[in-house]
Amino acid sequence: MSRRPPGWVPNQHGAWPMLLLPFVVGTVRGVQDAGFRPVTLALGALWLAGYLAYFAGGLWLKSRRRPRYRRPMLTYAAVAAALGLVVLLLDPPLAVWAPTFLPFLALGLWASAQRTERSVAAGGAMTVAASLMTVVAYAACRPPGASALAVPAVVWLVAGLLLAYLFGTVLYVKTMIRERGVRAYVVASVAYHAAVTVAAAVLAVVHDPSWWWATAFLAAATARSAVLPGRALSPRAVGIGEIVATLLLAAVALVVR
């Protein structure tokens, strides 16, 4: 079997749940509230093509602009540009969200050029950008005539929930693989998870009792961040655990109000 040329297929398997979860959650909540619109399909395709272009562009920058990464980068960028035009034709007001992604895109590409794309800052930038897609996907389902910025507060809270977990995953996975055995990372991971668990509990008290589901989920993530680091788990096992956690989080994100 021949090897795939470099740059065409991302090898960061953990990025896929991060990429798909916010879009799926935002779309499902949007369809529940306002119904399905065709622009959603184009937006999903744009989101995927944009990530592929970002990944290939990151490799190109990291490799000091080696020609072998130029073709996938330009190909995916062209596809993303074409899909972007389709989205604009179907729903021009959605363009108002594009500038919000630019700082995080720039930070991620700069980190690739500096070969620090695995840093907490770069990972954090990706989680923020991914979580924002929850809001954009919801906005794509809005009723005719409604503003693209008219997104209910609960959708922002859900985006915050996804961000809370996804950024925690950046810390947790580091304690399991690249920074395994580094106590400072474990302490930071546990402290962070505990803090977002408390924040969810506050929402359950002052906003809506359904947020106890989010509190329970984040409490389990906190326990995981404290108990599993140091154990002999393979990257595959860690990845499977993330898939299971992501599915559970999707269910929680669809029931909180």
Side-chain angles (χ1 to χ4, degrees), residues 1-186:
M1 183 181 295
S2 60
R3 257 184 102 208
R4 293 187 183 95
W8 290 98
V9 180
N11 58 359
Q12 297 178 359
H13 304 300
W16 292 109
M18 188 180 298
L19 191 74
L20 296 175
L21 175 65
F23 180 80
V24 170
V25 169
T27 297
V28 172
R29 293 195 71 119
V31 169
Q32 289 175 340
D33 289 353
F36 174 79
R37 296 177 65 211
V39 70
T40 297
L41 297 177
L43 180 65
L46 170 60
W47 183 234
L48 175 60
Y51 170 68
L52 294 173
Y54 169 82
F55 175 79
L59 288 179
W60 181 68
L61 291 170
K62 182 180 178 181
S63 69
R64 301 294 186 262
R65 300 170 179 79
R66 288 185 181 177
R68 62 178 176 171
Y69 297 117
R70 186 180 299 123
R71 185 177 177 187
M73 177 186 67
L74 294 177
T75 300
Y76 287 137
V79 172
L83 289 168
L85 288 176
V86 173
V87 171
L88 285 177
L89 288 172
L90 292 174
D91 192 347
L94 278 182
V96 72
W97 290 104
T100 63
F101 291 88
L102 295 181
F104 308 108
L105 175 65
L107 177 57
L109 293 176
W110 179 84
S112 293
Q114 301 300 311
R115 300 187 176 183
T116 59
E117 75 282 357
R118 301 283 186 174
S119 66
V120 173
M126 185 175 181
T127 61
V128 174
S131 301
L132 276 172
M133 181 48 66
T134 310
V135 180
V136 180
Y138 183 93
C141 299
R142 72 194 186 282
S147 169
L149 295 174
V151 176
V154 67
V155 178
W156 284 100
L157 290 175
V158 169
L161 170 62
L162 301 188
L163 173 60
Y165 175 74
L166 293 175
F167 182 73
T169 295
V170 173
L171 297 174
Y172 164 70
V173 170
K174 283 190 177 297
T175 66
M176 299 299 294
I177 302 176
R178 290 181 175 270
E179 304 296 340
R180 185 175 177 180
V182 180
R183 181 171 176 78
Y185 269 91
V186 176

Side-chain angles (χ1 to χ4, degrees), residues 161-225:
L161 170 62
L162 301 188
L163 173 60
Y165 175 74
L166 293 175
F167 182 73
T169 295
V170 173
L171 297 174
Y172 164 70
V173 170
K174 283 190 177 297
T175 66
M176 299 299 294
I177 302 176
R178 290 181 175 270
E179 304 296 340
R180 185 175 177 180
V182 180
R183 181 171 176 78
Y185 269 91
V186 176
V187 171
S189 178
V190 173
Y192 171 82
H193 281 88
V196 295
T197 301
V198 170
V202 171
L203 280 174
V205 173
V206 305
H207 175 65
D208 191 280
S210 63
W211 280 84
W212 285 119
W213 288 106
T215 305
F217 174 84
L218 292 172
T222 302
R224 181 186 69 170
S225 70

